[in-house]
Each structure stands twice: as structure tokens, then as C-alpha cells.
Amino acid sequence: MNLTKAFKNFFEKRAKYPRFKSYYGKQSAQYPQNCKVVVEGLKVPQVGIIKASIHRLFDGQLKTVTISKTPTGKYYASLLFDTEQEVPELVITGKVIGIDLGIKDFAITNDNEKTSKYSNPRHIKKHELNLARKQAKLARKKKGSKSREKARRLVARVHERISNARIDFLHKLSRKIVNDNQVVVIENLNVKGMVRNRKLAKAISDVGWGMFTNFLDYKLKEKGGLLLEIDRFFPSSKTCSSCLYQMAQMPLEVREWTCPSCGTHHYRDENAAKNVRAEGIRQLSVLGTRTAASGGNVRPKSGRKSVLRQSPIESTSQGS
Ligand SMILES: [Zn+2]
């Protein structure tokens, strides 16, 4: 099924030609039917009962089960449930927040009352030395040897820790923002294009904006909120948020500036967050949704929709 989907995406020009997946990478298998959650763990066709610690379950029908193995040798099962839950109707009464994403500061937010800065934890930086040391060790091992496999796993473990720390940070920050606001406005960044810029690549792929956007999106949907992505060519940095005067250019190194038209002194990122928020509110009103500030109104969302949710299960036994 996945191969068919991959080729379909390729022929319809949505994706590149499917790549072979290395045995040493992430492994996974899907069971579209006949799986069952039992007391001891998970019952899978052909395999039988697999011991597992189940994190949480949802009421509803169990659909596809995906079992995957991480490069460090941990097994996970992702369970997809059809809960037949309705998507909450979108009634905007809560706060609207604008977010400017950056590298030095991960995010600068403005919700009209205050501007907050969330500095970027440099996950890779913290583990850089450790990683380099272990990678050097791996390089010296003979190909195909047992000790090479051991060294490979040690390197994979460092990568896993870095990624876990990053995911933890992104979950906590998105949770905080979603709890305090109903509409989140963010710039639709061309992350792929930016990663291609070599100088910025490492820093950008480390910060995980794409994942952050996904987390915001599903957390908002759950509570009847909205993630609004605005066009990435919107001039959020070079427009004055007080009088809308637009500067001809605004080089990256300019961190603060004074508007020549109204004389307001701006901090680059704060000004961008304010502009992103204002643009979001403007688009909401175009969509026919009004914010509480301008009267508060209802935009009914299209009918019933079932929500599919995933719940992770971690296997109790480790190693292959
Ligand atoms: Zn101005």
C-alpha cells in the first residue's frame, strides 16, 4: 500500500521517485486489520501477543497498527483509532497570537498585550562533542563487525537523545501557546528551501519549525482553535506595525530600527510578530470570522467529521 502510494505521488508529481530504505534506518510494518489490544499488550496477526506497555487508549475502533523499530533498537507501536468524534465548531472568542520564528530566539510571540521571547535550546550544540567522539570511534571499526554494530548503536543513541529533547521542548511550548490562545498566526516558512542554504542548514534543521507547526495545528484542532498560516512573502519584518510604513529593505543583521514615517522604535522580531498577528486578524475577517475584539461572531464549520487519533505504545522489551 505504501509503495503504491509512493508511486502515485511520484507520477502525479507530488514527490520524488521512491527511495530504497536502508536496513539500518528506521524499520516499520503496518497491520491494517486484525490487531487487538489485550491485557498483556498487543495481539498482532502472524506474531501473536507482544508484551507492551500501553500509554493510553481511546474509545473507538482500532484501525491500522504501525510497528516500528528505531535505530537504537526500540520497538514502538502506533495505534490509530476511529473515535467518530466531531471536530469542535469554530467560534472565535479567545485570544489571537502572532508568532515570528527565528534562529537565535526560537519564537517571538505577540498577543496584543505582551511580547514573549522563547530562546532556542541548542540541542545539537550540547551533544556535539559527545557525538563527534562516538562518530569517530564508529569510523574506525571494521565494516560488518560486531563492534561496529555496537558503536553504531551508541551514535544512534546520541541522535535519539537530541531528538527527544527537541520534541519535548516543542511539545511544551506548543501546549503553553495553545492553552493561552485560540488562534495562532504563523508565517508559512519554506523550511525546505531554507535548509538548502548550507550556512543555515544545521541551525534550521535543529530547531524543528515544521514539527512545531504540526504540534500547534493538531493541539489547536482538538480544542476548537485555529492555526492560520500566512504567506511567507508577507513583508512582516520591513513593515512598521504602528503606521504600516514599508521599508525598502531590511537586512537580517538589523535587529532594531526607527520608523522614518512615525518615529516608532522597533525591535525587529517583536515588530514582525505584531505584523503577523495583524495580518492573521485581517485574514480572519476576510474569511467571515470575527474576533471577540470586533464583536465576536460564529462561523459554522462544515458538518460532521470523524477524528483519527494516534496513541503510542512502547514495547517493554528492548533490543532486536
Ligand atoms: Zn511607522
Side-chain angles (χ1 to χ4, degrees), residues 82-87 304-307 309:
D82 188 350
T83 61
E84 284 173 11
Q85 220 176 343
E86 280 177 53
V87 174
R304 271 180 65 98
K305 240 185 192 173
S306 64
V307 186
R309 301 170 81 181

Side-chain angles (χ1 to χ4, degrees), residues 240-245 257-264 266:
C240 167
S241 58
S242 308
C243 73
L244 302 181
Y245 178 83
W257 53 286
T258 305
C259 172
S261 173
C262 70
T264 312
H266 292 298

Side-chain angles (χ1 to χ4, degrees), residues 205-258:
S205 50
D206 186 28
V207 293
W209 292 330
M211 200 181 267
F212 183 63
T213 313
N214 284 343
F215 288 173
L216 282 173
D217 187 42
Y218 88 81
K219 286 184 168 105
L220 281 164
K221 274 185 185 144
E222 248 174 24
K223 76 160 210 180
L226 180 71
L227 176 74
L228 202 60
E229 285 181 88
I230 61 170
D231 194 90
R232 71 186 140 96
F233 299 112
F234 172 73
S236 62
S237 297
K238 50 185 180 184
T239 306
C240 167
S241 58
S242 308
C243 73
L244 302 181
Y245 178 83
Q246 200 172 319
M247 301 287 282
Q249 52 188 356
M250 183 57 63
L252 257 173
E253 63 272 15
V254 179
R255 304 317 298 175
E256 46 190 285
W257 53 286
T258 305

